[in-house]
Amino acid sequence: MDKKNSINSFRFKIGEFSKLCRVTVKTLRHYEAISLLTPNEIDEWTGYRYYNVSQSQKMATIQHLKRLGFSLEEISDIFSTGSDRPDIDRIEKKLEECRDEIEKLKHRATELSCLSEQIKSKTNMDKIFIKTIPSRIVASHRQIIKSYDELFNLCPNILGPEMMKIGCTCPEPQYCYTVEHNKEHCDSNIDLEYCEAVGEWHEDTPLLHFYESAELKNAVCMNHIGSYERFGETFAELLKYLEENDIHITGSPRFCYIDGIWNKESEDEWLTEIQVPVE
């Protein structure tokens, strides 16, 4: 091998370097623009860019760190320390991000599986129907909650024992529901009233207030199957129906709990009837 070929074998034009490292020329130009990987040599007459073997190793490091989830800015910061490896703190932080992403992906997979099953069985949302909901004596509790998850503790562990203590009965048909009193939707600090129909009046307690709920002569109803986080999907269908039929809402919607954590193992089987008073 002559001297010229020997020299050329250790430096590469940008196209050659692109093929060897399996990255596009556009990517190499971008890395040069952000000073992440600059050519080893630029011919002042032709403008040709040349890369050497050590830069192919640096490119491999960049690709590896990208696969580990590091951004180009983070990789540049790592290189600025004189090292080609992240320190322990950076690795621990990235591991925590991975764990968070795994949980998000698990939740997304569950949602997608649920959606797939609902589409296959066509049970995502039952047809809309209108009915009269009679007045009932209810035991009511109202408080600010951070999320609907608090109901899983509030109802069975706090309100249930309180109702049993004062001798409340829950005659058929059983009826419990919640009403949100916020003027607008809130993801947290929800002003929520929980009501459960009872068979008789009782004196109010620090936790419970007894009154007769209003009769809903016309309530547009729709069954929601699944997590309470997805109430918005069902409600969107209801609102579309109301608009198309020129029906007007006259009061706060009720969320009537038929099946839930108390009798179903999977939240995919939770059944809630959304009841909207209308005229």
Side-chain angles (χ1 to χ4, degrees), residues 69-84:
F70 289 94
S71 67
L72 295 182
E73 182 178 0
E74 290 173 323
I75 295 171
S76 182
D77 287 341
I78 292 169
F79 288 160
S80 69
T81 66
S83 174
D84 59 357

Side-chain angles (χ1 to χ4, degrees), residues 206-229:
L207 286 176
L208 298 173
H209 169 57
F210 292 85
Y211 67 92
E212 190 169 351
S213 66
E215 177 188 44
L216 303 184
K217 291 184 178 181
N218 293 297
V220 174
C221 304
M222 192 172 189
N223 285 339
H224 171 89
I225 298 173
S227 169
Y228 302 151
E229 293 180 356

Side-chain angles (χ1 to χ4, degrees), residues 189-248:
N189 296 323
I190 305 166
D191 184 357
L192 193 76
E193 180 182 6
Y194 175 84
C195 297
E196 185 158 355
V198 295
E200 61 287 309
W201 289 90
H202 289 271
E203 292 292 328
D204 287 356
T205 74
L207 286 176
L208 298 173
H209 169 57
F210 292 85
Y211 67 92
E212 190 169 351
S213 66
E215 177 188 44
L216 303 184
K217 291 184 178 181
N218 293 297
V220 174
C221 304
M222 192 172 189
N223 285 339
H224 171 89
I225 298 173
S227 169
Y228 302 151
E229 293 180 356
R230 294 176 34 250
F231 276 156
E233 299 171 23
T234 306
F235 211 79
E237 291 294 316
L238 265 174
L239 290 177
K240 181 180 178 182
Y241 173 86
L242 296 177
E243 180 183 39
E244 290 176 346
N245 291 275
D246 195 27
I247 300 175
H248 303 284

Side-chain angles (χ1 to χ4, degrees), residues 9-264:
S9 66
F10 291 99
R11 70 172 190 170
F12 312 97
K13 292 181 180 179
I14 190 169
E16 296 171 328
F17 192 73
S18 166
K19 290 182 179 179
L20 290 170
C21 295
R22 304 183 68 81
V23 295
T24 65
V25 170
K26 182 179 180 180
T27 296
L28 290 173
R29 294 192 183 278
H30 177 61
Y31 288 177
E32 179 185 354
I34 63 175
S35 301
L36 181 61
L37 181 66
T38 57
N40 182 60
E41 177 187 346
I42 300 178
D43 190 297
E44 62 178 318
W45 299 109
T46 64
Y48 289 163
R49 285 156 167 73
Y50 296 95
Y51 295 82
N52 60 26
V53 172
S54 66
Q55 289 178 300
S56 69
Q57 296 169 339
K58 186 173 183 179
M59 173 58 71
T61 299
I62 293 171
Q63 292 171 316
H64 181 225
L65 292 174
K66 282 184 65 181
R67 287 196 300 272
L68 294 179
F70 289 94
S71 67
L72 295 182
E73 182 178 0
E74 290 173 323
I75 295 171
S76 182
D77 287 341
I78 292 169
F79 288 160
S80 69
T81 66
S83 174
D84 59 357
R85 300 177 65 184
D87 58 30
I88 294 299
D89 288 342
R90 291 180 188 270
I91 293 173
E92 290 295 333
K93 181 181 178 182
K94 197 59 63 177
L95 276 171
E96 187 61 31
E97 291 176 4
C98 286
R99 295 186 189 102
D100 290 343
E101 189 63 26
I102 288 171
E103 289 304 313
K104 291 177 183 177
L105 288 172
K106 285 181 178 178
H107 182 73
R108 187 184 302 171
T110 299
E111 288 281 307
L112 287 169
S113 295
C114 180
L115 179 60
S116 175
E117 290 303 315
Q118 290 168 348
I119 290 174
K120 289 176 183 177
S121 61
K122 297 182 180 180
T123 60
N124 183 23
M125 299 170 187
D126 292 346
K127 66 179 181 179
I128 296 171
F129 51 96
I130 299 176
K131 68 179 182 180
T132 296
I133 300 173
S135 175
R136 300 283 297 273
I137 300 170
V138 297
S140 163
H141 175 81
R142 180 174 173 179
Q143 75 174 63
I144 305 296
I145 63 173
K146 292 181 180 179
S147 73
Y148 270 85
D149 289 343
E150 290 191 31
L151 288 178
F152 302 147
N153 176 61
L154 179 65
C155 296
N157 299 327
I158 299 176
L159 300 183
E162 178 77 358
M163 293 175 66
M164 290 181 63
K165 184 174 71 173
I166 62 177
C168 290
T169 60
C170 300
E172 297 293 338
Q174 293 188 6
Y175 182 46
C176 63
Y177 62 91
T178 58
V179 177
E180 295 181 13
H181 291 284
N182 300 85
K183 292 183 179 179
E184 58 186 51
H185 172 71
C186 296
D187 290 322
S188 61
N189 296 323
I190 305 166
D191 184 357
L192 193 76
E193 180 182 6
Y194 175 84
C195 297
E196 185 158 355
V198 295
E200 61 287 309
W201 289 90
H202 289 271
E203 292 292 328
D204 287 356
T205 74
L207 286 176
L208 298 173
H209 169 57
F210 292 85
Y211 67 92
E212 190 169 351
S213 66
E215 177 188 44
L216 303 184
K217 291 184 178 181
N218 293 297
V220 174
C221 304
M222 192 172 189
N223 285 339
H224 171 89
I225 298 173
S227 169
Y228 302 151
E229 293 180 356
R230 294 176 34 250
F231 276 156
E233 299 171 23
T234 306
F235 211 79
E237 291 294 316
L238 265 174
L239 290 177
K240 181 180 178 182
Y241 173 86
L242 296 177
E243 180 183 39
E244 290 176 346
N245 291 275
D246 195 27
I247 300 175
H248 303 284
I249 299 175
T250 59
S252 298
R254 295 179 184 178
F255 297 85
C256 175
Y257 304 98
I258 300 170
D259 293 313
I261 194 172
W262 55 91
N263 67 340
K264 298 295 182 181

